[in-house]
Amino acid sequence: MALFTRKRATATAADTGRTTARRPAAVLDADPALAALTGDYTIDPAHSRIGFTVRHAMVTNVRGAFGTHEGTLHLDGADPARSTAAVDVTIASVDTGIADRDAHLRGADFFDADTFPLMTFRSTAAERVGGDTYRITGDLTIKDVTRPLTIDLEFQGTATDVYGAERVGFEGSAEILRSDWGLTWNAALETGGVMVSDKVKLTFDISAVKAAA
């Protein structure tokens, strides 16, 4: 992903597509001062969160997250268009804080986790929107349905933690219609409307660690 603008920082606490001959103007140009970011990174699940928010019964929001996930980034400081991201999410790790609801989500009405255990994302392009805001596009697969997903990101910078590991961080969000991926279960309310909204907001809070040279 094209995440190359901020200066480096040093932590003080224990936890702290293809190129073409003519690149579109929206694609981020490399910052030579941050060329050292180039390399492979592993998402740190202990300091990352992949969450969601969905409207429930037309009056409130249900928030949850997937507790088990893994992913990799490749950042290319010389040519950010070559940067990539890949994330695998374990569906059975869904957690909304209510066991019965989580079991329903894992079941056949929703994700059918026994048959389709993973949700995956594979990037296909990245661009700079402005300032520290970026946009990554890729393929999101749920229940063997693959559709494009665009995620807006805010780059949080880089840091060297107290263990000497180099980290990059970013926050992102996207909105999808769950029905586009075959998640269509619902129930009508007596007062009108439905139990679960079709629109779902996805949120990403990611810390990734650079592989040793």
Side-chain angles (χ1 to χ4, degrees):
M1 280 173 285
L3 307 176
F4 301 93
T5 58
R6 292 193 177 180
K7 295 181 180 179
R8 293 172 50 80
T10 301
T12 58
D15 280 326
T16 52
R18 291 183 187 170
T19 59
T20 58
R22 295 184 61 187
R23 189 178 306 164
V27 175
L28 176 66
D29 290 328
D31 183 345
L34 294 178
L37 283 179
T38 296
D40 296 317
Y41 293 74
T42 300
I43 293 175
D44 177 5
H47 297 92
S48 301
R49 186 177 188 273
I50 297 176
F52 59 89
T53 302
V54 62
R55 198 75 171 161
H56 176 261
M58 310 294 291
V59 297
T60 189
N61 289 320
V62 168
R63 293 176 174 84
F66 294 93
T68 302
H69 52 82
E70 60 183 19
T72 57
L73 312 176
H74 175 73
L75 305 183
D76 190 324
D79 187 352
R82 292 182 178 271
S83 299
T84 60
V87 181
D88 293 339
V89 177
T90 301
I91 293 296
S93 69
V94 65
D95 181 6
T96 65
I98 297 179
D100 287 346
R101 181 165 59 205
D102 296 341
H104 191 197
L105 290 172
R106 288 191 292 267
D109 282 343
F110 284 95
F111 288 110
D112 194 1
D114 288 341
T115 304
F116 307 102
L118 291 179
M119 172 170 58
T120 66
F121 177 79
R122 299 292 183 267
S123 66
T124 56
E127 61 181 338
R128 181 178 183 176
V129 178
D132 287 334
T133 303
Y134 300 87
R135 184 165 292 148
I136 184 167
T137 301
D139 293 327
L140 177 67
T141 300
I142 305 174
K143 297 180 71 172
D144 278 356
V145 177
T146 300
R147 295 180 63 89
L149 175 67
T150 297
I151 304 170
D152 288 331
L153 300 166
E154 183 178 353
F155 181 43
Q156 301 298 301
T158 68
T160 301
D161 66 23
V162 295
Y163 304 106
E166 184 173 2
R167 293 177 177 267
V168 295
F170 59 91
E171 295 179 359
S173 64
E175 288 189 352
I176 66 171
L177 297 179
R178 60 188 178 91
S179 59
D180 287 344
W181 281 267
L183 303 174
T184 58
W185 183 90
N186 228 321
L189 302 174
E190 291 184 2
T191 54
V194 293
M195 181 69 72
V196 185
S197 69
D198 193 18
K199 183 171 70 175
V200 180
K201 181 178 180 180
L202 305 176
T203 56
F204 308 89
D205 190 353
I206 302 297
S207 177
V209 179
K210 190 175 185 180

